[in-house]
Amino acid sequence: MFEDGPVPQSEPLNSSQVCNDAGGYVWTVGDLDRLHRFLCLGSETGTYYCTKEELGLQNVDCIQKLIEDGRGEEVVKDIVEYSVEGWTAKQEPLLIALVQCARCEREKVKKLAYDALPKVCRIPTTLFQFVEFVEKLQGGFGTGWGRAQKRAVGRWYNEKSPRQLAYQITKYKNRNGWTHRDILRLGHVKPEQEATALILKYIAKGWKKVTEDRKEDEEHSEDYNDVMTYLQDAETARVSKDKDLVISLIDKHQFAWEHISTEFLKSVEVWRSLLQHMPMTAMIRQLGKLTSIELLKPGSEETKMVCDRLRDENRLNKARIHPISILSALYQYKKGKGMKGKLKWSPVEAVCQALDDAFYKAFKFVEPTGKRFMLSLDVSGSMSCSGVNGIENIMAREASAAMAMVTMRTETDHHINAFSDHLMDAGINPNMKLDEVIKTISNIGMGGTDCARPMLHAKEKKIPIDVFIIYTDNDTWFGDVHPSEALKNYRKAMNIDAKLIVVGMSANSFSIADPADKGMLDIAGFNSNCPNLIRNFALDLV
């Protein structure tokens, strides 16, 4: 079985292995793979063995190395693809990576990064975040505004239709201490249309100055007049005490809750009007609020509307709703209270079920392969100490169980188990609801980490497996056999050319997958395209 005896995970198989944060020996993933992990998983929560600050610096260094190695253009391409396709749960990692490319010394990479700015920063919130990251990188307010950034920011304002821009600047007036006025002052944005000029004047000087300077006998474009009406109604909605008038303006312009006075945010009638055209992301975030005021209650028309939207795959994809965002929303909604503040509600079961369904629909649809799968969840202590992309209420091991459910519901021929320093029954099945899955996995005891356990178990029990999938942070260290060697021995004993897919659940640089073995693949956990990547690898399509 072993020519010279098995090598424990606490010792290297060869000189290409490195010591992970737990003291076991593994391989390092390629720099692009590390980038993909960072984009999908972030580094905001750190890991059991590595602080978030250390993990963040490691990922920044990785991106810098890619740029210095002449691969900056690939980095920008991946940033845009991950953003546009909605493969990531949060925008911060994308923005951090984009800022590094935009502020680098390579002109072509810098140009590509700034060209990508409007594609990645689609709303003012992300634009403000981008600018804030640049300021921090440069070390002072207003110090990062070179010509390239000024042109890119100018395009952000000018490439939007006037009505779209008017909506965004009245909804997102400020974020993180930044305002549109700050951006215009530092960026010296020059409007390219009459209507855009009106909006920029409104930002810089306010509504009173706009109305004072307007001459009634002047002729203006249709867009200008449309924006003028919109801004006037937005100002009215912001200060009006007339609820019926506010509701009529919401219906007319599809205003968001940010457009109206806070005194109406306890009104069921106002929220009913807001809900009619509420964007998907906002609706998911407001489920607790809508339930607390009893707009969402069993059997109501609004509850049916919300549930239908949550199950609408086209809406989910168009809004780029990420599965982890839905999982987090479901977890919090079931609790009946917000993570912060005093808001409480009684969860509506129909909404919980719709969120459960939405989770699976948010992944890219994938057809079954017909292969034999073993899905193995790392439930060791380290997996309970790292979150997923800053989502505070979901730990890596609960998130990995939810991910495994997607494959369990797709592939009929599968085995599911959990492991730490020994293998155990995961206690979950494809018919369970997500909150049941999370609760079940949360109650499994912790231990050391031995990622070889699934292959050793399958070999011992003579279970025929085509594809092993291990969901782990790769901090394996406990066992007497390396996972890659356990797979090779399984192949030989069972005469099956089995594959190993390692779903990385933290943004570190480690993997148990041998990069020299074409039958092993490392992918970033919680990429919404993950099931499709698994399918293609299982069928030799990659």
Side-chain angles (χ1 to χ4, degrees):
M1 212 167 77
F2 297 95
E3 292 184 5
D4 299 312
V7 178
Q9 294 182 36
S10 58
E11 297 178 13
L13 282 170
N14 52 52
S15 60
S16 66
Q17 287 198 308
V18 298
C19 187
N20 65 22
D21 293 323
Y25 279 83
V26 292
W27 285 274
T28 55
V29 295
D31 289 333
L32 271 180
D33 287 333
R34 176 73 184 270
L35 170 70
H36 298 161
R37 283 192 186 181
F38 175 61
L39 297 182
C40 289
L41 299 166
S43 59
E44 296 168 68
T45 51
T47 69
Y48 181 78
Y49 299 100
C50 186
T51 68
K52 64 180 181 180
E53 290 80 12
E54 291 170 335
L55 196 58
L57 287 173
Q58 290 171 13
N59 283 287
V60 167
D61 289 343
C62 172
I63 296 167
Q64 186 60 39
K65 184 174 181 296
L66 282 166
I67 295 171
E68 291 173 357
D69 289 345
R71 305 184 74 181
E73 294 170 47
E74 293 178 73
V75 174
V76 176
K77 175 179 174 293
D78 286 349
I79 292 168
V80 173
E81 184 176 23
Y82 274 60
S83 177
V84 171
E85 294 295 332
W87 289 347
T88 65
K90 297 185 77 174
Q91 295 298 302
E92 285 84 350
L94 291 166
L95 297 175
I96 290 170
L98 188 64
V99 165
Q100 273 192 266
C101 293
R103 305 305 297 174
C104 76
E105 299 297 323
R106 296 179 181 254
E107 288 301 322
K108 191 168 184 181
V109 175
K110 179 185 290 189
K111 182 180 184 306
L112 287 173
Y114 276 121
D115 286 347
L117 178 64
K119 300 174 186 175
V120 178
C121 302
R122 291 179 288 274
I123 61 175
T125 299
T126 47
L127 175 65
F128 293 155
Q129 285 177 311
F130 177 89
V131 170
E132 183 178 7
F133 289 154
V134 170
E135 297 299 313
K136 287 181 177 179
L137 183 65
Q138 296 299 121
F141 184 78
T143 58
W145 291 82
R147 284 181 296 176
Q149 181 157 315
K150 290 179 181 179
R151 285 196 298 266
V153 170
R155 286 198 307 274
W156 191 94
Y157 286 93
N158 281 305
E159 289 180 358
K160 290 175 172 55
S161 71
R163 172 57 81 92
Q164 182 187 31
L165 181 60
Y167 175 86
Q168 291 203 353
I169 64 100
T170 52
K171 178 181 179 181
Y172 307 95
K173 288 198 169 185
N174 59 77
R175 290 291 189 276
N176 300 326
W178 285 88
T179 67
H180 288 283
R181 185 177 297 177
D182 295 328
I183 303 297
L184 296 186
R185 180 165 59 84
L186 293 170
H188 304 293
V189 179
K190 296 179 180 179
E192 295 176 359
Q193 299 180 56
E194 183 189 30
T196 303
L198 170 63
I199 295 169
L200 299 192
K201 184 175 183 178
Y202 170 77
I203 293 170
K205 299 184 177 181
W207 176 246
K208 183 179 180 181
K209 184 64 174 175
V210 167
T211 54
E212 287 176 352
D213 291 350
R214 189 185 186 196
K215 298 178 181 178
E216 295 296 333
D217 58 344
E218 284 184 348
E219 289 190 9
H220 298 285
S221 68
E222 185 177 341
D223 281 343
Y224 180 99
N225 292 328
D226 179 55
V227 166
M228 193 72 185
T229 300
Y230 184 92
L231 293 176
Q232 183 174 26
D233 287 348
E235 285 291 313
T236 300
R238 184 175 62 85
V239 300
S240 176
K241 307 298 182 182
D242 185 336
K243 183 167 68 175
D244 291 336
L245 174 59
V246 169
I247 288 174
S248 70
L249 292 175
I250 293 170
D251 293 339
K252 178 181 178 182
H253 295 296
Q254 300 180 18
F255 283 149
W257 68 266
E258 293 94 338
H259 285 100
I260 64 177
S261 172
T262 55
E263 71 178 83
F264 292 125
L265 295 183
K266 292 183 180 179
S267 167
V268 175
E269 294 85 1
V270 169
W271 278 104
R272 180 178 287 115
S273 179
L274 289 168
L275 180 60
Q276 303 309 307
H277 303 286
M278 191 177 290
M280 282 290 289
T281 300
M283 187 188 79
I284 291 171
R285 288 175 178 168
Q286 296 296 335
L287 290 175
K289 174 67 176 181
L290 297 172
T291 306
S292 72
I293 61 173
E294 297 188 349
L295 182 60
L296 298 184
K297 54 187 177 181
S300 73
E301 290 184 12
E302 287 76 22
T303 297
K304 183 180 184 305
M305 178 194 301
V306 166
C307 292
D308 287 345
R309 288 180 184 176
L310 288 171
R311 292 189 172 98
D312 188 329
E313 194 169 335
N314 289 329
R315 280 180 180 266
L316 291 167
N317 290 336
K318 186 176 180 180
R320 300 181 178 89
I321 305 298
H322 194 278
I324 188 66
S325 300
I326 298 172
L327 182 64
S328 178
L330 171 60
Y331 186 81
Q332 202 63 46
Y333 184 75
K334 287 283 287 188
K335 281 190 169 183
K337 61 180 181 179
M339 290 180 65
K340 301 175 182 178
K342 299 180 181 179
L343 189 66
K344 293 184 178 181
W345 60 87
S346 296
V348 177
E349 183 56 34
V351 175
C352 294
Q353 185 58 60
L355 282 167
D356 198 286
D357 294 341
F359 173 79
Y360 298 102
K361 290 178 180 293
F363 283 100
K364 307 301 181 186
F365 174 75
V366 59
E367 294 182 355
T369 65
K371 299 290 186 179
R372 299 165 294 189
F373 284 80
M374 178 171 283
L375 313 175
S376 301
L377 310 173
D378 180 353
V379 293
S380 62
S382 62
M383 286 283 283
S384 297
C385 296
S386 59
V388 178
N389 210 335
I391 306 296
E392 297 179 27
N393 54 6
I394 301 291
M395 290 292 102
R397 74 173 187 167
E398 285 82 32
S400 65
M403 277 192 71
M405 285 288 287
V406 179
T407 302
M408 289 170 69
R409 289 193 170 192
T410 304
E411 303 290 349
T412 56
D413 194 345
H414 67 261
H415 299 261
I416 177 75
N417 53 53
F419 68 91
S420 54
D421 49 16
H422 62 284
L423 202 76
M424 64 203 83
D425 181 8
I428 62 177
N429 64 70
N431 300 317
M432 294 174 72
K433 295 180 180 178
L434 283 170
D435 58 306
E436 295 178 284
V437 171
I438 291 174
K439 183 177 180 181
T440 301
I441 295 300
S442 298
N443 289 332
I444 295 178
M446 303 178 194
T449 314
D450 181 3
C451 288
R453 283 289 115 202
M455 285 73 73
L456 295 174
H457 172 75
K459 177 176 175 290
E460 179 185 349
K461 301 297 183 182
K462 294 182 169 54
I463 304 172
I465 299 296
D466 297 310
V467 184
F468 292 90
I469 303 181
I470 295 181
Y471 303 82
T472 180
D473 57 8
N474 291 288
D475 278 328
T476 185
W477 60 273
F478 185 84
D480 294 328
V481 182
H482 282 256
S484 58
E485 293 300 296
L487 177 66
K488 292 173 184 176
N489 287 313
Y490 174 83
R491 290 169 176 167
K492 184 176 180 180
M494 296 294 292
N495 196 28
I496 298 174
D497 190 19
K499 293 180 170 64
L500 170 62
I501 298 175
V502 181
V503 182
M505 297 303 298
S506 68
N508 58 32
S509 62
F510 306 119
S511 177
I512 60 172
D514 183 351
D517 189 325
K518 67 178 182 179
M520 300 188 200
L521 176 69
D522 187 274
I523 58 180
F526 261 107
N527 178 332
S528 62
N529 196 38
C530 199
N532 195 48
L533 297 173
I534 290 171
R535 179 181 186 274
N536 289 344
F537 186 69
L539 294 176
D540 294 320
L541 299 178
V542 292

